[in-house]
Amino acid sequence: MLSRLMSGSIRNLEREYNCTVRLLDDTEYTCTIQRDAKGQFLFDLICHHLNLLEKDYFGIRYVDPDKQRHWLEFTKSIAKQMKSQPPFTMCLRVKFYPPDPAALKEEITRYLVFLQIKRDLYHGRLLCKTSDAAMLAAFILQAEIGDYDPGKHPEGYSSKFQFFPKHSEKLERRIAEIHKTELIGQTPETSELNFLQKAQMLETYGVDPHPCKDVSGNPAFLAFTPFGFVVLQGNKRVHFLKWTEVTKLKFEGKTFHIYANQKEDRKIILTYFAPTPEACKHLWKCGVENQAFYKLEKSSQVRTVSSSNLFFKGSRFRYSGRVAKEVMEQSAKIKRDPPEIHRAGLVPSRSCPSITHGPRLTSVPRTRRRAVHISIMEGLESLRDSAHSTPVRSVSHGDSFLPRSRSAMPDGAEGPSVISDEAYSPSDSVLPTPVAEHGGLELALARQNNGAPCSIEEELEAGTPAGGGGEPGADGRGGAGARSEAEQVNKFVLSVLRLLLVTVGLLFVLLLLLIVLTESDIDVAFLRDIRQTPEFEQFHYEYFCPLRRWFACKFSWLGGTTVNQ
């Protein structure tokens, strides 16, 4: 009896596993779920824990054993998607950014979106002018510590807060000035709402950058926003296509294609190359989901899409969920007392440390001390956070917001209005982000693999952005062009071979059908009807029977020749 109970308990344990989800405020939610549980079950548990009703904007992100990031599909088993052994670690993140955050019905939803965009600002995904950056940081300051108090906030207090990868003393003073004078009396809710409205107006609002290369081999970042598809190179937006203009997204191997119709029936095709086939497939899935969510009027219009239109080749995928218009309509029907919100307040955040209180490290010069602090935080972030498919952060991460020459400029000097000259660095953003926490050795290896300097001295003395290696020369461009041409030739040859194989297969199927019609005795209504048509009878007696006799004679002759030999 005891042995049966023990064996039953063991079987129950084998059917269950632990799952930890890191939330937007960096707290963790741990639960035990059945092995065959689907993604929707876990997502509903988290939303119940957060008391969140407007949940369609959010998703769960995880990293597979090959360090490729994915969004958890709610209609499929969690264990089959993870491709690793439990316990599992995942992250709750904003998957679809609200086109108008102020239109969200509940404060809890706005607060979670606020946390996500604050992370985007810290990791260099939300780029803006210095004036906008100062205002956004001041809103965060007001939301987290309230009104300025001379007794609590001494001179230079804003330098203890980390809003961006790097910023200058002049920007810190401007943030403090706005906080002291312009935001007095604003509640956390009001400051968060103002922050969202300001962020919503920026071109990179909602950007989740995917690293790619264009046909010339130049690095680029593709992203899907609430308003359309964008391509970013450096700190510039080189392409923007509204969702109404995008007609098709497809991929083949590492190659990603975007088809669009612009004004005056102008059709364009953009082609980019992802680092791996898995990254390209993830990019395609993200595009399909974003297009369905923002473009369609009803979820009933969602169709299964294929990555390629050549017969049965390619992946098939279908977005499951409501679309943006339905989500807004459903939100308007919410009628309940506002849930209580437990704001992070003064709790330090591991991956988005806007609050870093503590005495100044006066023994280290200011410029170098800040570089040390940023380097440590970036290293920790590269190992811990899984906020986005491609976080844009690095040692040149600070350069995401400030040109390298800017830090050496006197405070009175005027710099460029855009905070970034090196906004998106491919060598920095392709760094995989495992969810497990590692020690210092793994941290050093991760930074080396990412192309970043291994020491602070190298970081300070480097004349070019970390991992950038300078601009590629003519030889590099020529090599990339040759590789691109070779890849295109190989793809063309493969396409022709595939077409020939499909054609031969179809002819073989037609031959089998013809033999069944003429030689078999299968008495099926549909076959009988075909056999009784005058056209088929004429074909059978005038062409097929003579051809069959000819083949029979040839086979008999070959058989006789073989026997005689």
Side-chain angles (χ1 to χ4, degrees), residues 127 203 232-237 418-424:
L127 305 179
E203 285 188 349
L232 303 156
Q233 287 185 316
N235 65 338
K236 296 179 181 179
R237 189 175 75 177
V418 178
I419 300 184
S420 170
D421 277 345
E422 300 291 336
Y424 294 104

Side-chain angles (χ1 to χ4, degrees), residues 96-149:
F96 303 113
Y97 286 74
D100 182 9
L104 295 170
K105 180 69 179 267
E106 296 199 303
E107 183 185 349
I108 179 67
T109 317
R110 290 194 294 273
Y111 175 64
L112 293 175
V113 175
F114 163 78
L115 292 177
Q116 177 67 72
I117 301 178
K118 189 174 75 166
R119 301 175 77 91
D120 295 345
L121 191 65
Y122 175 73
H123 293 300
R125 290 186 290 265
L126 186 66
L127 305 179
C128 53
K129 297 179 181 179
T130 51
S131 56
D132 294 330
M135 183 60 72
L136 289 171
F139 283 135
I140 296 174
L141 208 56
Q142 181 69 21
E144 294 194 347
I145 68 172
D147 291 341
Y148 169 71
D149 184 345

Side-chain angles (χ1 to χ4, degrees), residues 137 151 416 425 468 509 557:
S425 174
V509 170
W557 177 78

Side-chain angles (χ1 to χ4, degrees), residues 51-304:
N51 207 355
L52 177 66
L53 293 184
E54 296 174 288
K55 55 188 180 181
D56 299 83
Y57 299 105
F58 301 86
I60 298 175
R61 199 187 281 280
Y62 69 94
V63 183
D64 68 17
D66 297 323
K67 313 307 179 189
Q68 173 60 47
R69 298 185 179 186
H70 304 271
W71 287 107
L72 189 70
E73 293 187 43
F74 294 160
T75 59
K76 296 183 179 179
S77 166
I78 298 173
K80 291 182 180 178
Q81 294 183 68
M82 299 299 289
K83 300 178 183 178
S84 61
Q85 295 300 317
F88 300 135
T89 303
M90 293 171 267
C91 294
L92 179 75
R93 296 293 180 257
V94 172
K95 185 176 184 179
F96 303 113
Y97 286 74
D100 182 9
L104 295 170
K105 180 69 179 267
E106 296 199 303
E107 183 185 349
I108 179 67
T109 317
R110 290 194 294 273
Y111 175 64
L112 293 175
V113 175
F114 163 78
L115 292 177
Q116 177 67 72
I117 301 178
K118 189 174 75 166
R119 301 175 77 91
D120 295 345
L121 191 65
Y122 175 73
H123 293 300
R125 290 186 290 265
L126 186 66
L127 305 179
C128 53
K129 297 179 181 179
T130 51
S131 56
D132 294 330
M135 183 60 72
L136 289 171
F139 283 135
I140 296 174
L141 208 56
Q142 181 69 21
E144 294 194 347
I145 68 172
D147 291 341
Y148 169 71
D149 184 345
K152 297 179 181 178
H153 308 134
E155 185 68 24
Y157 71 101
S158 62
S159 65
K160 298 184 175 74
F161 298 76
Q162 195 63 45
F163 307 105
F164 318 109
K166 287 182 184 177
H167 45 82
S168 64
E169 292 186 32
K170 180 181 179 181
L171 182 57
E172 288 175 359
R173 289 198 296 270
R174 179 57 183 155
I175 293 168
E177 180 184 344
I178 296 174
H179 177 236
K180 291 177 183 178
T181 59
E182 300 182 26
L183 307 182
I184 296 175
Q186 284 193 11
T187 63
E189 178 185 0
T190 303
S191 296
E192 290 161 7
L193 180 60
N194 290 335
F195 174 89
L196 293 175
Q197 290 177 325
K198 186 75 175 176
Q200 172 202 347
M201 305 303 294
L202 302 176
E203 285 188 349
T204 49
Y205 168 73
V207 162
D208 178 12
H210 299 254
C212 292
K213 289 186 177 181
D214 62 18
V215 292
S216 300
N218 300 315
F221 279 84
L222 313 188
F224 309 105
T225 74
F227 314 106
F229 167 80
V230 298
V231 180
L232 303 156
Q233 287 185 316
N235 65 338
K236 296 179 181 179
R237 189 175 75 177
V238 296
H239 287 292
F240 173 70
L241 299 172
K242 297 179 181 177
W243 285 123
T244 54
E245 297 173 343
V246 177
T247 58
K248 185 190 302 182
L249 303 170
K250 71 175 189 177
F251 82 98
E252 182 178 353
K254 298 181 183 180
T255 309
F256 181 70
H257 303 282
I258 307 98
Y259 295 77
N261 290 334
Q262 292 189 312
K263 294 180 180 179
E264 299 176 357
D265 296 330
R266 178 170 166 259
K267 296 183 179 181
I268 62 171
I269 302 175
L270 302 178
T271 300
Y272 293 91
F273 303 97
T276 64
E278 292 75 18
C280 195
K281 184 175 182 179
H282 174 61
L283 171 64
W284 173 69
K285 281 187 174 182
C286 289
V288 169
E289 291 190 308
N290 277 271
Q291 185 178 25
F293 185 81
Y294 294 114
K295 183 177 180 179
L296 300 182
E297 296 288 323
K298 298 178 181 179
S299 55
S300 59
Q301 297 174 338
V302 175
R303 297 288 181 267
T304 301

